[in-house]
Amino acid sequence: MIVELGAFALCLALALSGLQVVASVAGRLRSSPVLAGAGEGAGLAAFLAVGLAFGVLIYAFVVSDFSVSNVALNSHTDKPMLYKVAGAWGSHEGSLVLWCLVLTGFGALLARARTGEAGLPFGLKAVAVAAQGGLGALFLAFVLFTSNPFVRLSPVPVEGASLNPLLQDPALALHPPLLYGGYVGLSVCFSLAVAALIEGRPGAGFWPAWGRWIRPWALASWALLTAGIALGSFWAYYELGWGGWWFWDPVENASFMPWLAAAALLHSAVVTERRGALIGWTVFLALVAFSLSMLGAFLVRSGVLTSVHAFAVDPERGLMLLGILGLTAGAAFTLFALRAGQLTGRTLFAPISREGALVVNNLFLSVAAATVLVGTLYPLVLEAAGGATISVGPPYFAVTFTPLMAMALIILPMGPLLGWKRGDLIGALQRLAWAAGLSLLFALIVWGLFRPREALTGAGLALGAWLVLGALAELTERIRLFGKRTPGELGRRTRALPLAAWGMTAAHAGLGLFVLGAVVETGLKVETARPLEIGQTVAAGPYQATLRAVEIIEGPNYLAESATLEVEPLGGGRPETVRAEKRFFPAGGQTTTEVGLSFHGLDDVYLVLGERRLSDSGERAWTVRMNWNPWARLIFLGPALMALGGLLSLLDRRLRTVDTTRRKRSPA
Amino acid sequence: MLIFWTLTGLACALAGLLILSAAGAAGGAAASGPEEDEAARGRALARDLEELDRMAARGVLVGAELEAARAEVARRHLEADVAVAAPVVDTAGRLRQARWVLAGTGVTALAALALYIGVGSPGVADQPYARRVAEWAETPGMLDAPKLAAVMEREAANQPENFEAQALLGAARFEAGDPIGAASALRRAAMLRPDDAQTWARLGEALVQTQEGEVGTDAEMAFLRALALDPGQLGARYFLGELALQRGEAARVHEMWSPLIAALAPTDPRRVDLESRLPSLSGSEG
Amino acid sequence: MRRLLILAMMLGLAGPALAQEPPATPDRPLANAEQEARAQALFEDIRCVVCQHESIADSPAGVASDMRRWVRDRIAEGQTDTEVRDGLVARYGDYVLFTPPVRLGTLLLWGLPLVLVLGGAGVLVWFARRRSGQIEPDADLTTAERTRVDNLLKAARTGPEDDATLPPKTRDGTS
């Protein structure tokens, strides 16, 4: 009965989303706050209904109700509780319910957004709520008609088929909610852009205000995407056991494209807000960002990535997703084309200015996003067109994407130091001179210490340091650290800095840390693999590991061969004990690796237990792969700092639009 | 069933309440005229100018920069053509619209019901695993192996120190085609009662199953334990004989299989098979 | 077969029988360090033909192991990197390399990023040129504008009562 209640709640949510569209449109057309209010209420109710359905789905997983097909296919009674719960969004159907939950959740937040003088105008909000409701209705219909998670089974199987053990990991249990938060948060930017295209006025006041309205949504989405992608990358790093953290896999690209677009949108929205310029471009990016999110969902969820043929075998889901994408993006971009002529701002700026720097940043970010898009879709299109099958992998992105981003990063620290409208490039460069000098010095020192294999590593080091120091330089400029200042005045200036400024500094410095980590890890990592008998030692970089013992252990739902290794610096030092495991899950018949990670400052010592065989001397031996990944910690700390920066900016009072203390006004 | 429809009705009613209250709040709040619009814009302007003043007071904005910022802010507000406040509706209009909202909510509930009848499975009960196992436990005689294993699993989990429970669980899992699980349970049983020959023999058999018929070292150890405790463990004899046959130890094969052959009826096809495979004791043939 | 071996391994059954049939042929690095480095670099660019999106450097699959051995053998025979790549493409098609080929069908793939960035830059330069000279600092408010600002501010003070969302007045004298 509870399960069926979930199914009903999903149906109710779809109907409510429909009402949300109709009431909001009617409210706008009849200029009726009552009808528009009903639309907002319906949006809120739809969110609660999807929440109920999602809760019921989790309940079905927790109690292992195998009469629910989705549970039977993706759960097993021997799974630990965390993965029973996470199994609710580990499957195709469940993940789409999560998508709808986030979509309607953002819709509910939008419905609660402030109206009136400090908030959204009546008409704009009504249309945006209607657009958001339309998106919700489309995706809920997709869930109900092609991916209903509440389909029942008869006869009921005795046991479930279990969740892919690779997904039974704490990081991956949290990864989809974060990622979907980011993907779907962009839907609000999309809806607000559609609403602005319909409601927009040529007056100079409208568009800067609009830029301010979409910024919190873009910021929140971008921060969630950053955290989600970093978490997914960290999972790949320690769960797959390949030693890498980014593979330019189409699934990764699917989440990276919206991230790039959201980053571009964030920056261009600033220009629109502050200067009333780049209006058309910002609107365009808002539409593109969510379209790329939907494209990502299509790529990952339709099976088209495995092969075009796999897609053709069961095309129903894929075609419907493609239909949703075509319908929403098609309608939005047609609207954009019709209104594009009216979207030019009147504000002018010199090429050398804050706006100019942000425009160049946008150029590189958006071309980078386009490059990832082309690299991801090209093999699919070529194959579908009957051409040859090709692979687009890391070497392609190394020569296309990397130079584009490097260009964007070189100019990044200058932007914040240039004035609006007309900037003083020489002055900015003078103020950055110490940062530039220190970056080069830093690169030279690290180069001299470690002697990397490729010259590009040196350039990357300088670039990363330039970003971190540039962010700090901008901060010191803001509080005027240099000059004759009393400590009290410095403190006052520091406190007076808006949160958004701290956020920007944190995000830019985080990006720099990430670049440093990525460059050093890629350029200097050392990998060794050799068969070890008990007591034998393998070395990589400045560390060595000794195999102490291997035992068979029984986990909650797996058997594991568990190796105990002792890691110590080559020069001598305190040894640290690390476990590396190879787990076998009988329920699905799959094995996974659990990497042994030993942290040394910013370095990782990464140990993978491999196959067992007899050594030449006839003893039992295990192939152990050992990686020394210098500064690998920065690859994940950097994005964490970036996401934190996004959060800080989001908390800035000036960006608050959601009304938490709804005003009470007496009716006139 | 009645409870289910009551709950769905309740869900619809709650949604309707939410919609109506939101509509009511919006209708009540939106009561501003053009002069209020003007006032609102003025207040927004005043607020932005105050923000500039504060920045000036902190020394962030000075001189011409401050004046330029003031001019820009003022101009932006002058040109603002944003429909700030919601339109006004009189009370009668609000009531008429409220009726539309009510009707819309009703239609929504009906649509949800129709959808549910279409895609849902009305009347199908929940089947939480624990309850199904409890039901199976009522009629242990009528269960097939996987269900029996599920029932035994619950018993064994409740009594981890009970040898019978573990041994039965092992047997049930073995029957259900889960030799890994069977081996795990039988190993626990063997720990609880190390002198039980039958358990060791079964553990050996389960281990052989996990290797798809190969007699590995662990299985061999288990069979040897079983035979040491009870020479009459015929299953253990069979597998140890197979192993000896593979290794070409003819005398060992005879030692293992002779009592086995003796125990089987002369017409038993298994006896015929074993006899035909017995190696000659000269040791020249394997 | 693979499943059986995993099971055997997992249950701690270290049969000597297993040693005769190792799960995947162990990688034997080339004795010449320079050649081995070349082989390792090539592995990164070669796709495991049975995997989703893995290079043979990463993949644990048996096929990947065979491909690694094939590459090492070719290098040991003295083939150049290009010859090894060509040999692989001849055997498996373009699909096997992560670097897509440059030919008519992939012109768009390779060319688009450059075209976009140059085109975008061109448009920006064009805009900048057309508008240069038009940029002036914000003029001070005209008298008419000043009057309208004062009217707005007056409306704010005399208009319907304020609501709670306004921040408290914190003007500190400067105006």
Side-chain angles (χ1 to χ4, degrees):
Chain A
M1 183 191 79
I2 296 178
V3 173
E4 287 305 306
L5 201 61
F8 179 79
L10 216 48
C11 298
L12 183 61
L14 174 55
L16 283 168
S17 294
L19 178 67
Q20 182 181 350
V21 178
V22 174
S24 300
V25 169
R28 173 67 190 90
L29 292 178
R30 311 279 312 258
S31 289
S32 156
V34 176
L35 291 176
E40 292 167 14
L44 201 58
F47 167 60
L48 295 177
V50 180
L52 176 63
F54 194 59
V56 166
L57 189 62
I58 291 178
Y59 161 83
F61 270 90
V62 166
V63 301
S64 296
D65 188 334
F66 297 130
S67 69
V68 180
S69 150
N70 191 33
V71 180
L73 289 175
N74 297 289
S75 197
H76 194 282
T77 49
D78 69 7
K79 257 195 329 188
M81 187 50 79
L82 171 66
Y83 305 126
K84 282 186 186 166
V85 175
W89 57 85
S91 66
H92 165 84
E93 289 82 358
S95 72
L96 278 164
V97 180
L98 177 67
W99 174 286
C100 289
L101 180 70
V102 182
L103 188 63
T104 50
F106 274 105
L109 275 176
L110 179 66
R112 300 276 300 166
R114 222 180 263 170
T115 42
E117 60 192 67
L120 306 174
F122 168 78
L124 182 92
K125 187 179 171 188
V127 176
V129 169
Q132 192 74 15
L135 289 173
L138 284 173
F139 278 100
L140 280 165
F142 176 70
V143 170
L144 270 180
F145 295 123
T146 72
S147 316
N148 185 353
F150 295 110
V151 168
R152 307 299 289 269
L153 283 180
S154 178
V156 182
V158 175
E159 189 49 273
S162 201
L163 180 70
N164 182 347
L166 277 179
L167 306 182
Q168 297 187 28
D169 181 273
L172 217 62
L174 195 63
H175 168 70
L178 284 175
L179 200 62
Y180 280 19
Y183 268 156
V184 180
L186 290 170
S187 66
V188 181
C189 298
F190 182 91
S191 296
L192 282 172
V194 168
L197 283 172
I198 293 172
E199 297 283 318
R201 314 284 162 79
F206 177 83
W207 289 104
W210 180 79
R212 192 174 66 246
W213 297 324
I214 65 160
R215 261 184 78 202
W217 307 99
L219 253 177
S221 311
W222 176 84
L224 286 168
L225 271 176
T226 309
I229 293 173
L231 199 64
S233 169
F234 187 55
W235 167 81
Y237 175 68
Y238 75 76
E239 181 71 32
L240 295 181
W242 303 342
W245 43 271
W246 190 261
F247 302 92
W248 293 106
D249 185 289
V251 177
E252 291 169 329
N253 296 350
S255 61
F256 194 39
M257 290 185 277
W259 185 88
L260 288 167
L265 174 62
L266 267 184
H267 291 95
S268 114
V270 173
V271 179
T272 303
E273 180 196 348
R274 297 293 296 270
R275 303 284 307 149
L278 293 188
I279 294 168
W281 177 246
T282 308
V283 173
F284 179 75
L285 274 180
L287 298 181
V288 164
F290 185 62
S291 301
L292 286 175
S293 290
M294 288 192 288
L295 180 70
F298 164 72
L299 287 176
V300 175
R301 286 288 152 215
S302 68
V304 74
L305 287 180
T306 329
S307 115
V308 174
H309 306 300
F311 171 64
V313 171
D314 180 20
E316 187 195 7
R317 284 175 177 171
L319 282 180
M320 191 156 165
L321 269 177
L322 210 54
I324 293 178
L325 176 63
L327 185 71
T328 51
F333 284 110
T334 308
L335 189 62
F336 178 78
L338 290 176
R339 300 291 301 255
Q342 300 162 34
L343 297 180
T344 43
R346 285 180 298 148
T347 339
L348 299 173
F349 52 85
I352 305 291
S353 63
R354 179 90 60 94
E355 296 95 318
L358 286 168
V359 166
V360 178
N361 141 305
N362 257 259
L363 172 68
F364 286 120
L365 276 177
S366 46
V367 176
T371 303
V372 179
L373 179 70
V374 170
T376 309
L377 291 186
Y378 209 89
L380 301 178
V381 173
L382 199 64
E383 193 188 344
T389 50
I390 58 165
S391 302
V392 179
Y396 169 80
F397 294 102
V399 300
T400 53
F401 176 84
T402 314
L404 285 169
M405 282 316 272
M407 293 297 287
L409 299 187
I410 289 172
I411 60 159
L412 190 156
M414 300 176 209
L417 286 175
L418 291 172
W420 292 103
K421 215 162 163 68
R422 189 190 285 281
D424 173 10
L425 185 62
I426 307 294
L429 287 178
Q430 277 170 355
R431 284 178 287 173
L432 281 168
W434 65 271
L438 277 182
S439 307
L440 288 177
L441 190 65
F442 169 83
L444 281 176
I445 291 175
V446 177
W447 178 277
L449 283 178
F450 295 108
R451 305 257 158 211
R453 293 177 285 263
E454 286 178 46
L456 272 178
T457 308
L461 279 166
L463 186 60
W466 165 243
L467 285 172
V468 176
L469 294 172
L472 293 181
E474 194 267 340
L475 192 67
T476 58
E477 278 296 321
R478 273 187 191 249
I479 57 176
R480 311 214 172 151
L481 182 64
F482 303 124
K484 289 173 187 158
R485 304 284 166 195
T486 61
E489 193 180 346
L490 271 185
R492 207 166 57 244
R493 283 179 174 284
T494 312
R495 277 192 303 278
L497 267 189
L499 274 178
W502 287 108
M504 180 180 77
T505 304
H508 288 170
L511 183 60
L513 291 180
F514 165 78
V515 170
L516 282 177
V519 164
V520 172
E521 197 267 354
T522 311
L524 294 172
K525 71 173 166 193
V526 178
E527 178 183 318
T528 355
R530 53 167 295 208
L532 292 187
E533 295 169 23
I534 303 288
Q536 286 185 329
T537 297
V538 59
Y543 297 94
Q544 64 174 24
T546 310
L547 184 64
R548 286 293 168 214
V550 179
E551 55 191 337
I552 306 289
I553 56 170
E554 209 170 315
N557 57 342
Y558 59 85
L559 297 166
E561 198 169 25
S562 171
T564 310
L565 295 123
E566 232 168 59
V567 178
E568 56 191 326
L570 276 180
R574 205 159 42 83
E576 193 193 346
T577 306
V578 171
R579 293 179 88 85
E581 291 183 0
K582 213 175 165 83
R583 292 181 180 171
F584 173 70
F585 292 76
Q590 282 168 290
T591 36
T592 66
T593 51
E594 290 295 307
V595 173
L597 273 182
S598 166
F599 302 132
H600 296 269
L602 294 177
D603 299 358
D604 285 355
V605 173
Y606 183 102
L607 292 154
V608 183
L609 183 67
E611 302 286 350
R612 176 175 52 193
R613 55 174 58 94
L614 288 194
S615 70
D616 298 335
S617 56
E619 288 292 314
R620 286 208 271 173
W622 289 262
T623 306
V624 172
R625 193 152 57 77
M626 176 170 178
N627 282 31
W628 172 55
N629 295 337
W631 295 16
R633 198 72 29 73
L634 292 181
I635 297 171
F636 309 106
L637 282 182
L641 191 59
M642 291 163 81
L644 181 73
L647 188 68
L648 282 179
S649 298
L650 198 58
L651 292 175
D652 196 306
R653 192 180 53 80
R654 289 182 306 165
L655 284 180
R656 223 166 277 165
T657 54
V658 174
D659 194 356
T660 42
T661 56
R662 196 155 258 230
R663 284 164 292 163
K664 287 197 174 60
R665 269 203 217 168
S666 53
Chain B
M1 205 57 188
L2 188 67
I3 305 177
F4 172 72
W5 291 117
T6 316
L7 284 176
T8 55
L10 203 65
C12 291
L14 275 175
L17 199 67
L18 208 59
I19 294 166
L20 284 173
S21 68
S32 59
E35 68 281 7
E36 172 150 356
D37 187 19
E38 179 98 329
R41 279 167 61 195
R43 278 201 298 273
L45 171 60
R47 196 164 35 210
D48 279 3
L49 289 177
E50 274 166 26
E51 172 91 33
L52 288 182
D53 288 345
R54 276 197 297 276
M55 286 168 86
R58 291 201 306 261
V60 184
L61 272 177
V62 281
E65 224 180 311
L66 176 64
E67 280 315 307
R70 287 178 153 278
E72 191 193 324
V73 162
R75 218 169 258 135
R76 191 197 295 168
H77 283 277
L78 284 183
E79 292 176 38
D81 191 15
V82 182
V84 168
V88 204
V89 188
D90 57 43
T91 318
R94 282 216 292 275
L95 272 178
R96 205 167 50 243
Q97 286 165 354
R99 249 177 268 141
W100 276 108
V101 172
L102 202 60
T105 309
V107 171
T108 304
L110 285 177
L113 188 68
L115 265 174
Y116 171 70
I117 305 246
V119 302
S121 318
V124 176
D126 289 358
Q127 303 230 26
Y129 190 70
R131 201 164 73 206
R132 290 169 71 207
V133 173
E135 276 165 21
W136 296 334
E138 310 260 303
T139 54
M142 308 174 61
L143 297 180
D144 56 10
K147 288 179 185 161
L148 200 61
V151 173
M152 285 318 302
E153 200 166 314
R154 192 183 62 158
E155 293 303 315
N158 287 342
Q159 318 168 43
E161 299 303 313
N162 185 329
F163 165 78
E164 306 288 342
Q166 301 293 344
L168 276 172
L169 171 61
R173 278 179 173 168
F174 189 82
E175 282 302 309
D178 173 18
I180 300 178
S184 161
L186 287 166
R187 202 174 265 141
R188 270 195 302 268
M191 298 294 161
L192 291 170
R193 201 178 285 177
D195 56 352
D196 187 83
Q198 179 85 35
T199 307
W200 285 108
R202 281 189 172 158
L203 173 60
E205 263 185 76
L207 289 171
V208 169
Q209 280 288 314
T210 62
Q211 290 216 72
E212 297 177 13
E214 299 260 341
V215 184
T217 18
D218 278 15
E220 187 184 357
M221 298 296 286
F223 288 134
L224 288 175
R225 278 292 287 262
L227 273 195
L229 291 165
D230 171 15
Q233 285 296 331
L234 299 181
R237 284 188 171 276
Y238 169 75
F239 284 108
L240 286 175
E242 286 280 1
L243 191 64
L245 193 64
Q246 273 175 28
R247 292 178 183 159
E249 299 163 352
R252 177 85 174 149
V253 180
H254 277 270
E255 182 198 335
M256 286 298 125
W257 280 359
S258 299
L260 187 55
I261 289 168
L264 291 169
T267 51
D268 193 316
R270 287 178 295 177
R271 176 173 176 150
V272 182
D273 174 58
L274 286 176
E275 279 175 334
S276 70
R277 286 164 59 204
L278 264 184
S280 69
L281 275 174
S282 65
S284 61
E285 201 190 338
Chain C
M1 186 61 210
R2 191 173 156 70
R3 181 180 148 83
L4 186 152
L5 287 165
I6 292 164
L7 282 173
M9 181 200 79
M10 280 309 167
L11 291 162
L13 308 167
L18 280 180
Q20 290 154 15
E21 281 185 353
T25 350
D27 275 52
R28 294 199 183 280
L30 294 167
N32 180 327
E34 190 202 340
Q35 287 187 340
E36 175 64 15
R38 271 176 55 209
Q40 293 285 354
L42 271 175
F43 293 165
E44 299 285 342
D45 187 27
I46 298 168
R47 181 174 189 155
C48 161
V49 289
V50 297
C51 312
Q52 172 87 35
H53 187 89
E54 291 171 41
S55 71
I56 60 170
D58 294 328
S59 172
V63 175
S65 166
D66 293 344
M67 291 171 77
R68 283 195 294 268
R69 200 175 50 237
W70 189 88
V71 171
R72 283 195 173 106
D73 289 351
R74 296 294 85 73
I75 288 184
E77 285 169 10
Q79 288 196 357
T80 63
D81 287 2
T82 322
E83 283 168 348
V84 175
R85 284 176 208 263
D86 291 348
L88 277 166
V89 169
R91 280 178 73 156
Y92 301 101
D94 291 327
Y95 178 77
V96 77
L97 294 184
F98 271 127
T99 318
V102 185
R103 56 160 192 251
L104 201 61
T106 59
L107 217 52
L108 197 60
L109 175 67
W110 284 104
L112 199 70
L114 196 65
V115 169
L116 280 180
V117 86
L118 290 182
V123 169
L124 290 183
V125 168
W126 180 69
F127 261 103
R129 285 208 165 172
R130 206 185 56 160
R131 288 184 172 178
S132 64
Q134 295 179 20
I135 302 145
E136 289 152 25
D138 280 319
D140 281 348
L141 294 177
T142 59
T143 329
E145 281 175 326
R146 236 175 243 291
T147 321
R148 286 173 61 201
V149 167
D150 289 343
N151 283 344
L152 260 188
L153 288 175
K154 202 185 291 166
R157 280 192 295 276
T158 57
E161 201 34 59
D162 224 351
D163 59 61
T165 53
L166 259 184
K169 301 265 188 236
T170 50
R171 305 193 67 147
D172 40 16
T174 46
S175 58

